[in-house]
Amino acid sequence: MISPPAHRPPYSLVIILSDKNDRQKSISLKILASGEGDTYKNEMFQISDTMNIGAKIGRLGEKNPAFFYRFKAENKAQNLDFCPLELDQSAGLLYLADGIRGLQNVTCFFEKFNTTDGSVDEMRVELEILRSKCDKPRFDTRHLTVHVREDTPTGSILTTVNATDDSDSPINYRFSQQIDTFAIDQFTGDISLVENLHWHVKNTYHLIVEAFTTGAGSTLLVTVDVEDVNDHAPFIVSQPTVLLPSAYRKGDTVHRVVAIDMDQNPRIAYTIQNYSEPVSSLKIDVDSGEIQILNSQNLPETITVRAEDSEDPTKFDEQKILIKARNFSHWHFFERPKDAIFLEPGTPKDTVVLKMSNIEEVKLQLIPTSQFFELQGAQIVQKSVNLPAGTHRITVVAQKEEELIDWMLLEIHVAPKFQDPPKIASTSCGMVTVEENMELKEFKRIMATGMTNSSRFRFQGSPSLFSIDPITGYISASALDRETAQEHLLVVLLSDSGRNDSCTVRVTVADQNDNAPQFNMDTPDEISINGSSQIGDILWKFAGYDFDIGLNGKLSFDLLEDSSKSLDLVPETGALVVRRFAPTDSWRIKVRVIDHGSPKALESEKDLKILNFRQKASDSKDVEPIEFLRQSYISSIDESLPRGQFVAKLEASGVSGASGITYSIVEGNQDSAFSIDSDGVVRSNLELDKEILDRYNLKVIGIVPGTSPATQISTRIDIRINNLNDNLPSFPISKPRRVAENLKVGSYIATVQAKDIDGLGILQYSLDSPDPHFQVDRFTGVIHLASPLDYESSKEHTIHLKVSDGEFDAKTNLTIFVSDVNDNPPKFSKDFYECHVAYSPGQPFARIEVTDLDSGSKLSYSLASDTSTIFKIAPETGALSMKVLPPVGERYLITVTATDNGIPSFSTSVPVLVVIGEQTPTEKPVFERQEFRFEVLENSKAGLQIGNLSGDTREFLYSIQDPEASRIFHVDQFGRLFVAGPIDRELKSYYEFTVEIENNEMMSQKTQCKCHITVLDENDNSPIFTSSGYSIHLKDTQTTHGQKIGQILARDLDSDENGRVSYRILSGNDLNIVTLNTDSGVIQMNEWTDSQLEEFPNATWQILVEARDHGHPYRSTVGTVTVSLKMSSWSGSAPFFVLPVYEIHVMEDTPIGTMIQRVRASNRLGMENKGLLYSLKEHGGKLSIDVKTGEITLKSHLDWESEPLISMYLSVSDGNGRSAVVPLKIMVEPVDEFAPVFTKSSYTLQIPISTPAGESVGQMQAIDEDGGAHGIVKYSISDRQSTVTIEEDTGIIRLHKSLSSRRNLTIEQITVVAYSSPNKQTKTTVYLEIGPFDVQPTLPKLLLHSKPVQIAAASLILLLALLIIVICVCMCKSRSQKKHPEILKPSEPRRPSQKAPKTIQKQVYSVKTGEIRTLSGDLPHHFPSNSMTSSVSTSSDALRILRASSRSQMDSGIDPDNVSINSSVTDYLVSLGVNANPIPPRIRHNTTYDSLMNEYIYARVEDVLPPGPINLSTPSQHSLLRQPLLTAARRPQIPAPSFEPLTEIFSEIVEMQKAEESNRHRKEYVQVEI
């Protein structure tokens, strides 16, 4: 079945040819004509898609006054509404008005209208859009990433880049910079590997590939990521010697093997490889490389250690280590120097805590003695039932044969019997407000104190939308809908071994404006106006609903469309009210319901049909009232927009257009925020701010001229300022908080609250930098403790907080000071002291030193009671001395206890072995130097030796006095300095600490030295951009070469060259629009070109930039710079009209309300113009224009005969201060309105029989009131007869055939038709009397038909006319010689004795020029006294001079003739809007200034002041009353206008009135406007 096409050609046809492999070829055909019946005249234009907007592309036809062109309505009928052309209707020229890049061929339809006969020729224009061939190659992507293994062989092709263009030229490829590692094929784009890759040397390459032909090229960033391959074997870097201390024991770590692997994330395994015999006395940790002693028997002299790759054991390194053991002199009873035992609460009495073996001949002792534990043989037994919770430290001493002694530190940890149950922090519960329609992952965390490993969170019940992590307490939820449930109550339970706690969380869902308002279901589709309806009646009250709440659910109603302009809709109530009666029977309206939501209001529309059953009487002469179409208007406008934004347009009924109405905003216009022009368009007058004022209720009045008194109408405009997120949230100044270091985890710390004056969204809090100690609630800003604090580690913490409103962020810092708590017991430098004493009694022989990490702790020393009779200790200094001298050789094991003064108090005891006898001579330990300086590379592994503080291998006790440095470095017994912890130069680049050395034998002999360690930088940090992405918003003023438009900044934590950063552009700057300073990162404008917008029509593009350091090898980071143009203010988007002049041809019978033209403004870039505002200037109310769509509508009747051309101006503005104006001409085309009218109702022609055929026998004459072609009358005879014929153009009737055959008198009747068009014709009857009439011509008749006589008569008439003109000129000159009007100078006042002749004159005060001119035919000069001067002139020359003055004056329309003198100008002045106040001819003597003030106080300012600038420098001159008329002979300079007190002016008026009372018979009227 073949169906006919739905519309006229052209038709698009696509033919596709495919094979069985689905390979296709296609061709597109366009059928321009369908054969017969196609009446279009086709025109074809080929245009390039790069053609400039406004270019002239062709002509539909030649310019001819008899034709004009216009768009055909079929453009819309065939869905061809888009036609990128603009038409000059008079000349038929076509201009390009829209961008066509990317479009296919376009068809536009036009009409050629013949104004003579009304015929229309249809025309079709085919635009064949030629795609411009761009020789610039283009890549499909801006960034290509390639992953390559580092073992890829050289010569391999890594990837191929491919660019395309529209030309046939070959594309070449190259690197923008020389790169040795890679190569690119010039013709194919193959990127190949030239040199071997090494991941540990460089793991990322950024290659810039450029594709080019003959012109500019395109760039592509190719990132090569080198993937690591396990191709490196570990190598050992630690020392090959192990020095065993003399007092080593089982389990001691004596050495660490350090190996390095250059691969990524290496796993190294360490083993001891002794091929001759296994080593049983030593073991090595497979992961750390630590070598420990298993026993002291059979220690080898050397061992071989291996460090091998765990993934590939074939890759390894071996090292032979020499073990140097000193003479072993210490007896070991205990296997370990320390041991720990954990006891549960409630452990029964006599429980064996520790059992020791091989105690034969060994004496055991507990130091200090304990009330909770005791020795029972080889066992330590609990002797108390209730053990206090905490840590009990006991030193177990084993002694054999008096001289052999060993010790072990035993720590017994007793758990609390009764622990506080876990308790939920109430501050982590309570109310929380979240946004609806948002996925909430871990939006809240329940915090609790006293949590254990068995503590678990759960919900009571099973809320379907929420979940809680049982361990962390994080609550998550799926997207919530407020309209489903506004609140959710969650009960959180915390259980721990039968102990429970609970709290409630009330989740309130904040409303979002996500539901559009709707009309009620009972809203009808038709509304009737019945016959009894009156003005003011409510036809229907609209109602609606909105599921949102608050302002999001508050509704207003608006009447969008009402072609009858007879209805009004009350915004608040929704009442549809009859404001005036419409003449039509039915029409459609569109109403809208809109909410008040932010940031965007939602709305719904509804179309309704109005049925009008109220018929107006045909003879009714009701006058439509003058009023605004709406009693109130509603509008909204976004805040922060530039001034000049369109708000509303007011229209009035009962007047022809709105040009004559004077609008004023008289109420509610705070800060003059809005203005209204003469067309009733309200615009913003400043940049509005919702936070200052969110609503304006304006009262607008309109003064309608032409009525007496002037009519005043009023309406109101409710303007709502839409809230935008244009303000950053802000934090108040935060005060530091102080908390104790023993604060329980989960406890409340503080609450931070930010403010956002926009109030659009819920603020969300977070930590700007991670801090494991603190947890901030996402929506409430409550901060809890997440991990324990330690005063000794950090005395204060700075919490970096951030708050976000969804678009803007704000940051603040909160300082937390940690208060010290006595939670550390005193600590001795040794676990066991031994000293030999040979001093006299009373002299200190040793000093016991104890440290306490708590601040301000005061220590006291004491001795156990069993030794207090022999020894004593200084309580404050810890100095040991003897009370008596014991016998030589005695050995005493005393207990020294150190106690702090904290609350609670802690104490620690240590055993001290004192041997009485000769002191073993020992050397005082000394350092070779007082200061040591070392350098260490950051990231060095633990166990790596840095240096040596001792020059020999003697053993001393070395201790680092700085606690922080002691965690990073370690000094062993031999003075060797090792790395003990991670070293990061970026955290700390320099260490300075004191190392103290003491002799194991002489506790009082100590020496110190300073160590300075400089951490050398390693290029281990890449540059980091300060922002994840940079944005540059270009303005029209930022196109100057070299102008700074932005800056990027990257920081590198490394130092020197490793941290020096340089920048370069990688891609996105093919047109070289910007340049980047390599050192500072400043982005500067180079040269702007609109071609950039052709490639990026959305006016946004990205530039990839690189920040690289100068290390070896260098490290780099790629960043993104997004460049965007604000097209609303860009010069290329400024609106303009492509037509220099709009000439719109309109038929004079076009009905009022017809849309006669839709104008459109374009821009240079061809982009879519949004927010344009159109207006007409000087249109006189004949037309109106839709300010948004540009549709021009006819508002008054046209008449070609009276006004064939209407001129005005068309303006467009974009709300950004940019506008364009072009002339607009309405060419009124005549229509045949009137039928011709014969001069007589009937005609009688006498035709003598002897009249020859072809002779004129008479002439018909008809008159047509139409003008132009429609006023040309043509004639015809409607009867079928052969007697006479009539000439079509002249109406002359001629005899068609000879009448010689006729003899008698006959009368024939014919009907003559006069017509101007087929529809406009008139008939008349012509009687032909044919008979033997006298045919002798009379003399007058002969003369009448004689051409010489006719020429002579015409000449005579012309001479007579010239004679009359000469006589008139002579009479005028004679009269002017008798009367010489003079110009009185201001310095020549009239003397009081002078009298004016009694001549009637009329003085008119000119509103515009401020002059009083006497308009009379023969009047002498009138000199008022003082400063009031009346300039009198009757000379036409003076009038001509005045009219030719440099300043344009408003013509009063009154010429100085008798008619003007005898007529009143009051009506004329009133029609101009002048408040005329004629002064009566007689004024009483008791006239006061107050009465005169009452007469003139209400005069308008423009009526008082002359046009132009006012000079206040010469107060003695009155521009209003002293400006004389100028003559051709003398033109004095007009003094500058000035002001003078009204009292003086009124005094002059009174004096004039007194002077004129003497001439009462002289009637003179003076009209003055102040």
Side-chain angles (χ1 to χ4, degrees), residues 1123-1315:
V1123 184
S1124 62
L1125 305 182
K1126 188 178 181 181
M1127 299 308 298
S1128 59
S1129 60
W1130 191 255
S1131 61
S1133 65
F1136 71 94
F1137 295 102
V1138 298
L1139 293 181
V1141 178
Y1142 268 94
E1143 293 184 354
I1144 305 174
H1145 294 257
V1146 185
M1147 308 307 294
E1148 64 175 328
D1149 60 348
T1150 303
I1152 294 178
T1154 302
M1155 194 270 287
I1156 61 174
Q1157 178 76 3
R1158 181 174 181 176
V1159 298
R1160 55 176 168 175
S1162 304
N1163 57 73
R1164 177 166 52 89
L1165 302 176
M1167 59 178 289
E1168 181 183 1
N1169 275 326
K1170 295 182 179 179
L1172 295 182
L1173 302 178
Y1174 298 91
S1175 62
L1176 294 176
K1177 304 297 182 183
E1178 303 178 11
H1179 56 89
K1182 295 180 175 61
L1183 303 176
S1184 68
I1185 188 170
D1186 190 298
V1187 294
K1188 294 185 177 180
T1189 64
E1191 294 180 351
I1192 300 177
T1193 305
L1194 187 64
K1195 303 297 290 184
S1196 64
H1197 292 289
L1198 302 177
D1199 186 19
W1200 180 86
E1201 288 75 18
S1202 61
E1203 193 174 14
L1205 175 64
I1206 304 174
S1207 298
M1208 62 194 70
Y1209 292 95
L1210 172 64
S1211 173
V1212 63
S1213 62
D1214 62 356
N1216 294 299
R1218 304 180 302 180
S1219 61
V1221 180
V1222 294
L1224 186 144
K1225 299 179 181 180
I1226 303 299
M1227 318 292 289
V1228 182
E1229 297 295 340
V1231 176
D1232 198 356
E1233 299 178 283
F1234 305 99
V1237 178
F1238 284 98
T1239 56
K1240 297 180 180 180
S1241 59
S1242 64
Y1243 294 84
T1244 302
L1245 301 177
Q1246 290 184 347
I1247 305 175
I1249 297 175
S1250 60
T1251 303
E1255 182 70 16
S1256 170
V1257 297
Q1259 184 176 6
M1260 300 295 100
Q1261 184 176 6
I1263 300 175
D1264 195 331
E1265 295 185 16
D1266 292 313
H1270 299 290
I1272 300 176
V1273 182
K1274 295 186 178 182
Y1275 304 89
S1276 66
I1277 299 175
S1278 61
D1279 303 311
R1280 290 187 177 181
Q1281 50 84 36
S1282 59
T1283 305
V1284 294
T1285 60
I1286 188 169
E1287 292 184 0
E1288 183 180 23
D1289 296 327
T1290 62
I1292 297 176
I1293 299 177
R1294 297 184 182 276
L1295 189 62
H1296 180 62
K1297 62 181 180 179
S1298 175
L1299 302 176
S1300 58
S1301 60
R1302 301 191 182 188
R1303 295 292 183 265
N1304 299 323
L1305 177 64
T1306 60
I1307 297 177
E1308 295 184 7
Q1309 178 180 337
I1310 63 174
T1311 300
V1312 176
V1313 180
Y1315 62 93

Side-chain angles (χ1 to χ4, degrees), residues 1303-1349:
R1303 295 292 183 265
N1304 299 323
L1305 177 64
T1306 60
I1307 297 177
E1308 295 184 7
Q1309 178 180 337
I1310 63 174
T1311 300
V1312 176
V1313 180
Y1315 62 93
S1316 56
S1317 67
N1319 297 326
K1320 300 296 182 180
Q1321 59 183 6
T1322 304
K1323 298 180 180 180
T1324 188
T1325 303
V1326 179
Y1327 299 96
L1328 304 178
E1329 296 181 355
I1330 303 173
F1333 302 111
D1334 184 13
V1335 295
Q1336 293 297 324
T1338 61
L1339 181 60
K1341 187 174 182 180
L1342 292 175
L1343 294 176
L1344 181 63
H1345 290 279
S1346 176
K1347 287 188 177 180
V1349 174

Side-chain angles (χ1 to χ4, degrees), residues 585-602:
D585 295 334
S586 67
W587 65 94
R588 302 196 68 84
I589 65 172
K590 180 183 290 185
V591 294
R592 174 181 67 171
V593 57
I594 184 172
D595 61 31
H596 293 208
S598 294
K600 182 180 180 181
L602 302 180

Side-chain angles (χ1 to χ4, degrees), residues 129-234:
I129 301 175
L130 303 178
R131 184 177 178 183
S132 57
K133 290 187 177 182
C134 179
D135 60 352
K136 177 184 176 181
R138 288 183 173 87
F139 291 100
D140 295 335
T141 181
R142 293 281 179 183
H143 189 189
L144 178 64
T145 301
V146 181
H147 300 278
V148 181
R149 289 169 55 93
E150 66 173 326
D151 59 350
T152 302
T154 58
S156 301
I157 296 178
L158 306 182
T159 187
T160 301
V161 296
N162 184 28
T164 59
D165 66 352
D166 299 331
S167 66
D168 298 330
S169 303
I171 299 177
N172 298 325
Y173 303 91
R174 65 187 175 194
F175 289 136
S176 61
Q177 295 180 351
Q178 180 65 33
I179 299 176
D180 297 332
T181 311
F182 305 93
I184 186 170
D185 190 282
Q186 179 181 359
F187 305 105
T188 63
D190 293 337
I191 299 177
S192 57
L193 184 64
V194 177
E195 296 180 351
N196 291 325
L197 299 175
H198 299 285
W199 177 89
H200 68 283
V201 175
K202 187 171 181 57
N203 55 23
T204 303
Y205 296 86
H206 297 305
L207 313 178
I208 304 177
V209 178
E210 182 179 356
F212 62 96
T213 53
T214 57
S218 298
T219 56
L220 170 67
L221 172 62
V222 179
T223 298
V224 180
D225 282 340
V226 181
E227 296 179 347
D228 179 52
V229 176
N230 191 8
D231 57 347
H232 292 89

